[in-house]
């Protein structure tokens, strides 16, 4: 009897299934990996601030008591102590800044920085930007949409100041446009006030929207200016 031809194996569905599993696993692990990268960056940054004095102290303790406290010389112990020390210093500065003596020390430090040519520009700019990020939307500090990079696209912006055009007196807004996922870097755009699309978003909502790449956002948002409807 003639042999029946064997049917070809179905490989396409298996490949499609493996591809879906790979994409699902990748999308599951990617947020965990990004969280780990950010946490590790902050951990290393905080530990690096206090490491210059934590490392010698821990080495001296480990050398004085090698049998019972020799583990103080381990790298992870030094990094953990340095991070905790930095956090304690930050919390202490926060508590001190809320008191009168802390405010006086801060004013003294700002007056000292103001005398340094380059440092005063950097400190003043960073200070004003952080103050804006902590300010609720109002008449001059608010979350807006601007036509950027062209009219059919919008970008989230923070109005930092309202200026006047020389000659015509038209109101111009200085708008800081943060970038994703790092809102501390961005663009500064000067936009006529009538070309802004106002929103009722808070700064926290805008920051969540920017950092998450648009994943965390209110259900609705304005897009078309009232004058263009």
């Amino acid at each position: 009897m003639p042999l029946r031809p064997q049917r070809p194996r179905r490989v396409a569905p298996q490949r499609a299934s493996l591809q879906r599993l790979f994409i699902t696993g990748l999308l599951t692990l990617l947020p965990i990996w990004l969280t780990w990268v950010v946490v590790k960056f902050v951990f290393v940054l905080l530990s690096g601030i206090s490491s210059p004095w934590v490392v010698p102290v821990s080495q001296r303790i480990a050398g004085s008591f090698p049998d019972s406290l020799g583990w103080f010389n381990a790298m992870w112990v030094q990094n953990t102590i340095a991070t905790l020390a930095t956090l304690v210093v930050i919390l202490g500065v926060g508590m001190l800044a809320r008191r009168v003596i802390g405010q006086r020390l801060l004013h003294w430090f700002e007056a000292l920085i103001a005398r340094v040519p380059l440092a005063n520009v950097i400190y003043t700019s960073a200070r004003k930007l952080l103050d804006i990020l902590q300010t609720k939307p109002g008449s001059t500090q608010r979350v807006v949409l601007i036509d950027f990079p062209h009219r059919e696209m919008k970008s989230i912006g923070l109005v930092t100041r309202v200026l006047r055009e020389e000659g015509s007196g038209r109101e111009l807004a200085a708008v800081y446009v943060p970038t994703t996922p790092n809102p501390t870097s961005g663009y500064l755009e000067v936009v006529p006030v009538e070309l802004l699309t106002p929103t009722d978003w808070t700064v926290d909502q805008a920051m969540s929207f920017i950092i998450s790449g648009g994943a965390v956002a209110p259900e609705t948002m304005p897009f078309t200016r009232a004058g263009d409807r």
Side-chain angles (χ1 to χ4, degrees), residues 51-63:
S51 292
W53 63 271
V54 169
V55 173
V57 171
S58 61
Q59 291 178 348
R60 186 175 302 177
I61 294 175

Side-chain angles (χ1 to χ4, degrees), residues 68-147:
S68 57
L69 299 178
W71 49 272
F72 259 80
N73 205 21
M75 183 64 66
W76 69 271
V77 175
Q78 296 175 356
N79 291 335
T80 303
I81 296 175
T83 303
L84 294 176
T86 303
L87 292 176
V88 170
V89 171
I90 293 175
L91 293 175
V93 171
M95 294 177 59
L96 187 63
R98 291 179 174 271
R99 301 181 180 276
V100 177
I101 184 173
Q103 295 177 358
R104 290 180 179 178
L105 291 175
L106 183 60
H107 290 320
W108 174 82
F109 176 77
E110 290 178 347
L112 181 64
I113 290 292
R115 299 180 181 179
V116 182
L118 181 60
N120 61 351
V121 177
I122 300 175
Y123 178 81
T124 303
S125 302
R127 183 75 181 182
K128 288 182 178 179
L129 179 59
L130 292 177
D131 289 340
I132 291 171
L133 296 180
Q134 296 175 355
T135 303
K136 295 182 179 180
S139 58
T140 57
Q141 283 92 16
R142 59 182 179 270
V143 181
V144 298
L145 300 179
I146 67 170
D147 300 335

Side-chain angles (χ1 to χ4, degrees), residues 143-146 153-157 197-201 205-206 209-210 214 216-225 229:
V143 181
V144 298
L145 300 179
I146 67 170
M153 298 179 66
K154 301 289 186 181
S155 294
I156 301 291
T197 303
T199 72
D200 58 354
W201 289 14
Q205 288 175 323
F209 182 79
I210 293 168
V216 180
E219 294 297 329
T220 60
M221 68 178 299
F223 190 84
T224 304
R225 292 190 299 267
R229 296 174 185 173

Side-chain angles (χ1 to χ4, degrees), residues 152-171:
E152 299 301 324
M153 298 179 66
K154 301 289 186 181
S155 294
I156 301 291
L158 304 176
V159 177
T160 59
R161 188 177 180 184
V162 176
L163 310 171
R164 293 281 182 178
E165 183 181 11
E166 185 177 355
S168 66
R170 183 172 61 164
E171 287 188 331

